Amino acid sequence: MGSSAGEVIGVSDGEGDCAEWVFPAAPDAVRTARSLVRRTLDEWRLDSVGDIAALLVSELVTNALRHATGPIGVRLVRGPAPTAGAAGATGAAGAPGADGVLLVEVSDPLPDPPRERVARPDDEDGRGLQLVASAARRWGTRPGEAGKTVWFELALPR
């Protein structure tokens, strides 16, 4: 029995500071991922970053669907809100749990890193990574065991 498009094929939707899902490579994965991201951020009382997080996840999951085959992973890691006078995290790029940061990761089985390109005014695609770069605090890619992960950080409200 196969997975339906809106079905989540793997989930670790913890009550802590991390939630992750694996979706089949089907068009409904975009809508399902967006919905689960919004719901999780609402539960974490981070609805102020819900719209932008859902938008950027939509872009990255769409890219994964267009360019890769196989399952698509989405992971959220909530860093603690900074306290007055606290120093920022000094970890590596995309380090989980950085103070005041929401780390969002989208993984797919294609090892090739995404390429940011300049879209012409009439192009119907090609703006997703530009959107991520302009809206996120930081973003990047890293190779995985089987594929790659594109990640971005959003600053959390104080």
Side-chain angles (χ1 to χ4, degrees):
M1 181 178 204
S3 301
S4 71
E7 185 176 329
V8 179
I9 57 176
V11 64
S12 174
D13 194 359
E15 293 179 22
D17 293 325
C18 180
E20 54 189 310
W21 307 273
V22 178
F23 305 97
D28 277 358
V30 177
R31 179 177 54 228
T32 305
R34 188 172 49 238
S35 174
L36 288 169
V37 165
R38 281 184 195 273
R39 186 191 80 206
T40 300
L41 294 176
D42 283 347
E43 290 171 1
W44 288 352
R45 296 183 181 176
L46 296 176
D47 51 316
S48 63
V49 295
D51 287 342
I52 192 64
L55 174 64
L56 300 182
V57 164
S58 292
E59 292 294 333
L60 295 180
V61 171
T62 298
N63 285 352
L65 282 171
R66 284 186 151 186
H67 303 290
T69 58
I72 300 165
V74 175
R75 182 172 181 251
L76 305 177
V77 180
R78 170 180 54 176
T83 56
T90 59
D99 282 352
V101 170
L102 175 70
L103 171 65
V104 181
E105 301 174 332
V106 176
S107 303
D108 66 57
L110 184 68
D112 303 329
R115 289 178 297 152
E116 196 172 351
R117 67 181 184 90
V118 177
R120 294 180 306 237
D122 293 338
D123 288 347
E124 292 189 20
D125 60 8
R127 294 174 181 83
L129 290 177
Q130 291 176 348
L131 186 59
V132 171
S134 67
R137 179 176 170 260
R138 296 189 309 167
W139 78 280
T141 64
R142 68 173 179 273
E145 290 180 24
K148 68 169 169 312
T149 298
V150 180
W151 59 268
F152 63 87
E153 294 177 346
L154 296 174
L156 297 178
R158 294 181 180 259

